Amino acid sequence: MTPRRLRLGAAFALAFSTIAVPAGSARAAAPPNVVVILADDLGFSDLGCYGGEIATPNLDRLAAGGLRFTQFYNTARCWPSRAALMTGYYAQQVNRDPAGSRPTWAALLPDLLRPAGYRSYHSGKWHVDGPVLEAGFLRSYSGDDSGDYFTPAFQRLDDKPLPRPKPEDGHYSTVAIASHAVEWLDGHHREHPGDPFFLYVAFTAPHFPLQALPEDIERYRGRYAEGWDVIRARRWARQRELGVYDGPLSPLDPTTVPSWNLAEEELKRRVGPGEVGRAVPWASLTAEQKAFQAAKMAIHAAMVDRMDREIGRILERLEAIGAKDDTLILFASDNGASAEQLIRSTGHDPAAPLGSAMTYLGVGPGWSTAANTPFRLHKYWTYEGGVSTPLIVHWPAGVKARGELRHTPGHLIDVAPTLMEVAGVTPPETWNGATRPAPPGRSLLPAFAQDAAVERPFLYFNHEGNRGLRVGDWKIVAPAPAAAEGRWQLYDLAKDRAEVHDLAARHPEKVREMADLWKRNDEEYRRQAATSPRPPRPGEPAR
C-alpha cells in the first residue's frame, strides 16, 4: 500500500463499514477509484439488462457483477441533470434550471473529492457553467456539439478549441470520448499510480441527430420492421421476467410532443413522407412510413451499441492497469429518451444515407415511447418516462452483491454524497467563504449493501414548468402550465408507475398537502440559488 493510501485508510474505515470488504485485501480501507458514465437521452429500457433487445454486453456484465436500481431518477433534461450529479443539489438550488451561473458555494465533485487525494478527469459532454478545468478537472476533452457526430464544430482539449474534423478524418464522437478517457487512465496510471482517480465520461449518444457508423447500423438493419408496438410489448415482458418492473404499461400518447418540434407538415416537407410526428399505433402507418421509422430505430440502436462497445474499451483499460476491482463504476442517463424532432447544425439532406453526417433526424415520439418502456412520455416532462434512468453500480472490491436489484428510489443528487462517503470526505459547510445549504441528496451506501430504503422526505422535480414531487410511493405531477392541462395529478407508484390512473379526485387532501410541500421547497430552492452569486466571468453578461 502506498503512503498516501495508508494516511487515508483510517478516515475511510467508517464509511466502508457497511460495504463488503474482501478478506485480506490490502487496499480495502482506502478510497476506490471512481468512474461515472453518463449517457444522453437513453431510454429506461434501451439496455439489455433493463429489458431491451439492443446488444449492450459490457453494461450487462457490469450489472451482472453488481447492482441495478429500478427507481432511480434524473431531472428530465441534460444540463439540470449534470448540475445535480456534479453538485449534489437540485438544479434550482444552484441556479442551473433555468440555466445560469452557480452560486459561489456550489462546489463540483472534483473539489469535493480532492481532500481524499483524488485526481479528476473528464471526457465528453460538459454542459455545466464555466470552463472544465476551472471546475477542478486536471484533463478534459469536451465535445458539447450534439449536432454532428462526424465533424463536430465545438471540441475542446483542456478548454482550448480544437480544429473541426474533416469528413476524411474518420472522427466519431462516441469513439473520441472513449479514446480520451482511456488516454486519461493511461496518464494517471503512469504518473500517479498511488492516487485514486475520478473519471467522468459523458457520452453524447444516443442524443439526436441519429448518426452512426455504417457498420453499426448494418447490425440492426431490418431489426425493427415489427414496429414500436411489438418492441414495446416485448421489452415490457422482458422487464417483468428480469424483475426490473412489475406493473402496467402506459398507453401511447398521440397528442403530447415538445412545443418546439417541427410541425407534422414541416417534417414531411423537410424530411420526407416517411416521417411521423406523433406516437400513433404502428398499424396506422403507411408502408413507406414503417420502413423509414424502422430504419431510424436501427440507427438509434447502433448508437447505443457503439456506446457500449466504447465502454468496453474503458473497462479493458481499467483491467489492464489493475484498477477494475478497486473502481466504483456508476452508469446512468441524464433523462429519458427524447421525442424531439427538429433540424439544427448543417441541416438535413433527404437524399443522403440515413445516419450519415448529412442527415439530421430524431428518433421521434413513437420510438421514444418504446425506449422509455413501460413509462409515460419522454425527456422534458416530469412523468416517469422523462425522469427515470437506469443506474448500474459495479464495485467488485466493495459491493458483495452480484446481479441484484435495488428498488429503493434514488436520484442524481445522491451521487455526490455517496462518493464523498466512499472517499471518507466530510461535506464542507462552507465554500468560497459562503455557507452551503443542507444538501438534499442521500448516500446510497446502505442500498449498496442490501435492498434497504434510503430515508428521505421527498424527491422534487421541476423543469420549465413541468412539476413533480414524490413522497414515499405517492407522486404528484403536472405538465407545464402552457399545456392543455397544468393541474396536479396524483399517482400511487407502488401500483402504477406507468401513471395511468390519476387519483387526484379521490384524494384531494393528499394533492393539497404535497402541492404545498412542493411550493414551499421550490421557493426555498430559488432563494438559495440567489445567495452568494458568483461574479460574471470576462465576457459573460451580469445576472
Side-chain angles (χ1 to χ4, degrees):
M1 184 185 295
T2 65
R4 191 206 61 80
R5 286 186 175 264
L6 281 169
R7 290 195 302 271
L8 290 170
F12 185 61
L14 180 60
F16 215 93
S17 62
T18 60
I19 304 299
V21 180
S25 173
R27 303 177 67 195
N33 306 305
V34 174
V35 176
V36 173
I37 304 173
L38 195 67
D40 198 333
D41 290 9
L42 182 81
F44 183 78
S45 69
D46 273 335
L47 306 183
C49 55
Y50 278 82
E53 71 295 321
I54 302 172
T56 55
N58 293 294
L59 287 167
D60 294 351
R61 277 194 291 272
L62 288 180
L67 306 171
R68 280 168 295 161
F69 281 68
T70 65
Q71 299 191 65
F72 203 76
Y73 290 105
N74 49 49
T75 72
R77 201 73 176 272
C78 37
W79 67 91
S81 283
R82 284 161 172 75
L85 170 69
M86 296 299 294
T87 67
Y89 290 89
Y90 291 114
Q92 286 71 22
Q93 292 177 278
V94 294
N95 199 41
R96 290 295 295 157
D97 194 1
S101 296
R102 286 170 289 120
T104 57
W105 54 260
L108 301 185
L109 273 172
D111 283 331
L112 295 172
L113 294 175
R114 186 175 291 111
Y118 281 83
R119 295 177 179 271
S120 298
Y121 308 91
H122 159 263
S123 185
K125 190 169 182 175
W126 181 230
H127 225 170
V128 179
D129 59 311
V132 185
L133 299 193
E134 185 179 291
F137 289 94
L138 299 175
R139 299 300 310 272
S140 167
Y141 166 71
S142 180
D144 279 1
D145 184 8
S146 58
D148 190 343
Y149 282 80
F150 293 101
T151 58
F154 304 104
Q155 296 182 97
R156 288 176 173 79
L157 184 64
D158 296 335
D159 291 327
K160 295 178 182 178
L162 291 171
R164 186 170 192 172
K166 297 180 175 63
E168 61 268 22
D169 292 341
H171 177 96
Y172 186 67
S173 291
T174 305
V175 176
I177 290 168
S179 294
H180 282 90
V182 167
E183 183 180 348
W184 304 156
L185 288 174
D186 284 344
H188 180 91
H189 179 64
R190 183 175 59 251
E191 299 168 15
H192 309 286
D195 294 341
F197 59 78
F198 166 51
L199 174 62
Y200 174 41
V201 186
F203 288 103
T204 51
H207 190 289
F208 64 82
L210 293 173
Q211 294 181 350
L213 298 170
E215 61 268 29
D216 294 341
I217 298 174
E218 194 60 36
R219 279 190 286 272
Y220 293 91
R221 193 174 304 279
R223 181 81 62 88
Y224 293 99
E226 297 170 298
W228 49 62
D229 293 333
V230 171
I231 295 297
R232 193 165 179 247
R234 192 173 292 148
R235 288 188 178 193
W236 180 42
R238 180 62 177 152
Q239 288 173 331
R240 287 177 289 171
E241 291 175 9
L242 294 170
V244 169
Y245 177 78
D246 184 18
L249 180 67
S250 65
L252 287 173
D253 185 334
T255 61
T256 308
V257 295
S259 60
W260 56 85
N261 267 15
L262 291 174
E264 189 98 23
E265 299 76 16
E266 183 70 3
L267 274 174
K268 292 184 183 301
R269 185 184 72 81
R270 298 181 64 178
V271 175
E275 191 57 284
V276 178
R278 303 277 173 173
V280 296
W282 184 259
S284 69
L285 304 186
T286 66
E288 186 174 22
Q289 288 174 324
K290 289 177 179 177
F292 187 80
Q293 295 301 313
K296 285 206 307 176
M297 185 59 187
I299 303 167
H300 174 85
M303 296 169 77
V304 176
D305 182 308
R306 173 52 55 183
M307 178 180 66
D308 182 83
R309 290 170 185 264
E310 297 307 311
I311 289 171
R313 283 208 296 139
I314 296 171
L315 299 180
E316 287 174 359
R317 193 53 53 99
L318 286 172
E319 191 162 9
I321 64 175
K324 191 172 181 182
D325 285 351
D326 198 22
T327 297
L328 168 59
I329 301 173
L330 304 178
F331 174 88
S333 177
D334 63 351
N335 43 251
S338 173
E340 294 163 292
Q341 290 180 287
L342 61 167
I343 298 174
R344 295 174 177 167
S345 191
T346 55
H348 174 72
D349 179 0
L354 293 185
S356 69
M358 291 77 73
T359 60
Y360 199 103
L361 299 168
V363 72
W367 285 120
S368 176
T369 300
N372 292 329
T373 301
F375 302 132
R376 181 177 177 184
L377 291 181
H378 328 269
K379 167 186 176 179
Y380 169 74
W381 285 277
T382 54
Y383 293 92
E384 295 290 285
V387 297
S388 295
T389 172
L391 175 69
I392 297 173
V393 178
H394 185 271
W395 183 15
V399 176
K400 183 178 180 181
R402 298 291 182 267
E404 293 186 9
L405 299 173
R406 295 294 183 259
H407 301 294
T408 186
H411 192 287
L412 288 176
I413 57 170
D414 299 332
V415 172
T418 301
L419 297 186
M420 281 190 282
E421 185 171 0
V422 162
V425 173
T426 301
E429 295 182 359
T430 62
W431 191 261
N432 286 332
T435 300
R436 288 161 50 89
R442 299 290 185 267
S443 172
L444 298 174
L445 283 189
F448 286 7
Q450 58 183 330
D451 195 11
V454 175
E455 298 297 332
R456 67 177 82 239
F458 57 83
L459 286 168
Y460 157 93
F461 304 96
N462 186 10
H463 177 60
E464 295 190 356
N466 294 287
R467 298 154 286 156
L469 190 82
R470 176 168 178 168
V471 179
D473 287 325
W474 288 109
K475 180 183 175 185
I476 54 169
V477 62
E485 293 185 9
R487 65 174 182 84
W488 287 110
Q489 300 159 26
L490 176 69
Y491 299 98
D492 179 0
L493 298 188
K495 303 174 182 176
D496 183 23
R497 270 193 79 198
E499 296 166 314
V500 175
H501 304 291
D502 180 9
L503 304 177
R506 290 173 54 184
H507 301 283
E509 71 292 341
K510 176 62 70 174
V511 175
R512 285 192 297 270
E513 172 192 336
M514 293 180 66
D516 182 61
L517 181 62
W518 183 93
K519 185 175 185 295
R520 292 198 312 270
N521 282 280
D522 183 68
E523 292 172 350
E524 173 60 17
Y525 294 159
R526 306 291 180 180
R527 186 196 66 78
Q528 292 172 4
T531 62
S532 303
R534 180 186 56 75
R537 296 179 177 87
E540 179 183 73
R543 288 185 287 145

